[in-house]
Amino acid sequence: MKIPQAWQFRNGNVQIIPVQFRRSRSRRPHWIIILICLVCVSLIGAYVYPPRRYSACYFFSSSICSPLKDLLPPTARVLTDDEFASNVLIKNILSMPSVELKNSKIAFMFLTPGSLPFERLWEKFFLGHEGRFSIYVHASREKPVHVSPLFDGRDIQSSKVVWGKISMVDAEKRLLANAIQDPENQHFVLLSDSCVPLHNFDYVYNYLMGTNVSFIDSFRDPGPHGNARYTEHMLPEIEEDDFRKGSQWFSMKRRHALIVLADNLYYTKFKLYCKPGFDGRNCYADEHYLPTLFNMVDPIGMANWSVTHVDWSEGKWHPKAYRAQDVTYELLKNITSIDENYHITSDEKKVATQKPCLWNGMKRPCYLFARKFYPEALDNLIHLFSNYTVI
């Protein structure tokens, strides 16, 4: 068959070329155009009908998606029914107007295995300030023997607490549930059996009641003792970017205490998936639940540090403990003068973050209480109390 031909002028010369070759060259860009159209249609479809967790770029290489995904606005994930109901409840609690009570009290909640070794010291702290505090004691192992009348009848119904398990959070919630029944309790402080006061009562009361934030420790730790404990079983409600770590020894406002008691959605995630040995991780709910919860629901409502001092400088599993000979005026004054909070990541980089403790915008000492003191330090603490707690 004779191949059709065409004339073409090139460089002043006449050339004869087959027509079919020219046509084949004109078709070559079509597959590129078709591919781009398919990619665009897929991206638009994934944007309009997004999967619950993944973006459209999950299905394509990053080289194709990287320049395109920045052009699309972020998509909002559709909330589950439980999540939507929880968010509505939390927003309503946070929007409740603050109640100015004439006799507002601080609830001091002691989480202890049994008897409190520093009752006599706390009695000295509380005396003369009746009507401005409440006491609640959760004893998880044995019924405590009280040496101060201020603590008589202040035990609540308690259950066994296992270190690192959700039962620690359950005990905290049990204390809050008992304390919140008194409408005059407007601030709630969690303390251990090894905690001691660093200032006199008036100073502590004015510090806590004079600000509108809760003192809940919360920071991001990308290392093995932080976000490495996160598991995707917490999806979709809790993403890894939400996961936080912090001290369990909190001091919180009434609205935040109500949120802790009302929350079942996020609590259940930690109950099921944050425990030692789960999914090859050692996750401890008391270190992560409250820091993560309030980072998600009210990050501007917390100060991001705990008002209870603890010394982790020894780099061990437990903080530094103080024996009788360690308790001196200099030690206590040094702790009370600290005005910057300090965090360090647990990864190889050991990134240290040091920030001023801002109270209503002013730099103030960070700590009102301290732990971890041995019972043998009681006499020294009582002897020094009037000196080191002077404002």
Side-chain angles (χ1 to χ4, degrees):
M1 181 178 69
K2 187 175 180 180
I3 300 175
Q5 297 177 339
W7 297 93
Q8 174 177 302
F9 289 93
R10 179 178 291 179
N11 298 328
N13 299 319
V14 178
Q15 293 181 340
I16 301 175
I17 59 172
V19 174
Q20 66 178 24
F21 291 168
R22 187 175 63 175
R23 286 177 181 171
S24 64
R25 287 174 185 167
S26 66
R27 291 193 187 111
R28 282 183 180 177
H30 288 179
W31 71 271
I32 298 176
I33 297 173
I34 293 171
L35 178 60
I36 293 175
C37 289
L38 288 173
V39 171
C40 291
V41 170
S42 300
L43 288 172
I44 294 171
Y47 172 69
V48 176
Y49 304 102
R52 289 195 58 188
R53 180 66 190 162
Y54 303 104
S55 66
C57 287
Y58 175 80
F59 301 100
F60 302 100
S61 69
S62 59
S63 60
I64 295 177
C65 285
S66 293
L68 294 175
K69 67 181 181 181
D70 294 334
L71 301 177
L72 298 175
T75 59
R77 177 174 59 81
V78 178
L79 303 181
T80 64
D81 288 343
D82 289 342
E83 197 174 4
F84 179 75
S86 177
N87 286 358
V88 170
L89 178 61
I90 290 172
K91 286 180 181 178
N92 273 272
I93 293 174
L94 291 175
S95 64
M96 292 170 58
S98 300
V99 180
E100 294 288 339
L101 296 178
K102 201 169 186 180
N103 299 314
S104 294
K105 295 189 294 188
I106 298 176
F108 291 84
M109 308 180 303
F110 292 86
L111 183 58
T112 176
S115 297
L116 292 166
F118 298 110
E119 268 192 24
R120 287 171 51 211
L121 176 65
W122 283 105
E123 181 183 54
K124 192 170 184 178
F125 172 79
F126 288 127
L127 280 177
H129 303 284
E130 290 75 7
R132 295 203 290 168
F133 67 88
S134 301
I135 297 173
Y136 302 87
V137 180
H138 184 292
S140 61
R141 294 182 190 171
E142 57 188 32
K143 184 175 176 58
V145 177
H146 298 296
V147 297
S148 167
L150 294 178
F151 286 80
D152 282 338
R154 305 313 304 163
D155 302 333
I156 70 168
Q157 185 175 351
S158 307
S159 295
K160 184 179 180 181
V161 173
V162 180
W163 180 82
K165 300 291 185 67
I166 195 67
S167 58
M168 186 76 77
V169 176
D170 293 337
E172 296 171 5
K173 296 182 72 170
R174 202 172 291 119
L175 280 163
L176 285 171
N178 279 269
I180 211 162
Q181 293 182 75
D182 185 345
E184 293 184 345
N185 287 335
Q186 294 296 308
H187 204 100
F188 304 80
V189 179
L190 182 68
L191 300 160
S192 75
D193 56 308
S194 69
C195 282
V196 302
L198 292 174
H199 296 273
N200 63 38
F201 184 89
D202 283 329
Y203 184 96
V204 171
Y205 186 90
N206 293 333
Y207 194 107
L208 295 179
M209 302 300 289
T211 184
N212 201 35
V213 300
S214 292
F215 296 92
I216 301 170
D217 192 27
S218 178
F219 71 103
R220 179 175 173 82
D221 178 4
H225 299 159
N227 276 49
R229 295 172 174 175
Y230 171 83
T231 173
E232 290 188 350
H233 288 282
M234 291 186 174
L235 292 172
E237 292 85 358
I238 303 173
E239 301 183 7
E240 185 178 354
D241 285 343
D242 301 321
F243 200 68
R244 293 294 185 272
K245 180 182 178 179
S247 168
Q248 76 175 108
W249 308 106
F250 61 77
S251 168
M252 65 174 61
K253 292 296 181 182
R254 187 177 181 88
R255 67 180 183 276
H256 290 146
L258 286 169
I259 288 174
V260 174
L261 293 178
D263 173 53
N264 185 60
L265 176 70
Y266 303 107
Y267 165 81
T268 300
K269 290 287 185 175
F270 280 87
K271 181 178 181 179
L272 295 176
Y273 307 122
C274 181
K275 47 189 174 182
F278 178 81
D279 204 19
R281 298 168 170 84
N282 286 322
C283 185
Y284 307 108
D286 58 282
E287 294 183 7
H288 298 284
Y289 169 57
L290 291 182
T292 300
L293 173 66
F294 286 105
N295 172 64
M296 295 178 66
V297 304
D298 193 19
I300 64 173
M302 60 179 181
N304 286 323
W305 86 83
S306 169
V307 289
T308 299
H309 175 268
V310 62
D311 186 351
W312 289 98
S313 62
E314 294 180 339
K316 299 179 180 178
W317 279 101
H318 297 284
K320 182 177 180 180
Y322 302 101
R323 294 197 171 274
Q325 64 267 23
D326 300 319
V327 178
T328 63
Y329 175 82
E330 288 72 23
L331 169 71
L332 298 169
K333 289 306 292 185
N334 285 340
I335 296 176
T336 58
S337 65
I338 297 173
D339 57 8
E340 292 186 338
N341 62 87
Y342 177 82
H343 292 116
I344 185 168
T345 62
S346 61
D347 57 359
E348 293 180 352
K349 295 181 180 179
K350 301 292 182 186
V351 177
T353 304
Q354 201 160 343
K355 296 181 179 180
C357 294
L358 298 178
W359 183 89
N360 292 345
M362 299 179 294
K363 192 172 183 179
R364 292 283 297 275
C366 302
Y367 303 113
L368 305 178
F369 317 101
R371 60 188 301 266
K372 194 171 184 178
F373 290 82
Y374 280 99
E376 66 185 53
L378 175 62
D379 290 339
N380 283 359
L381 287 164
I382 289 179
H383 176 70
L384 294 169
F385 181 78
S386 298
N387 292 325
Y388 74 77
T389 57
V390 174
I391 299 176

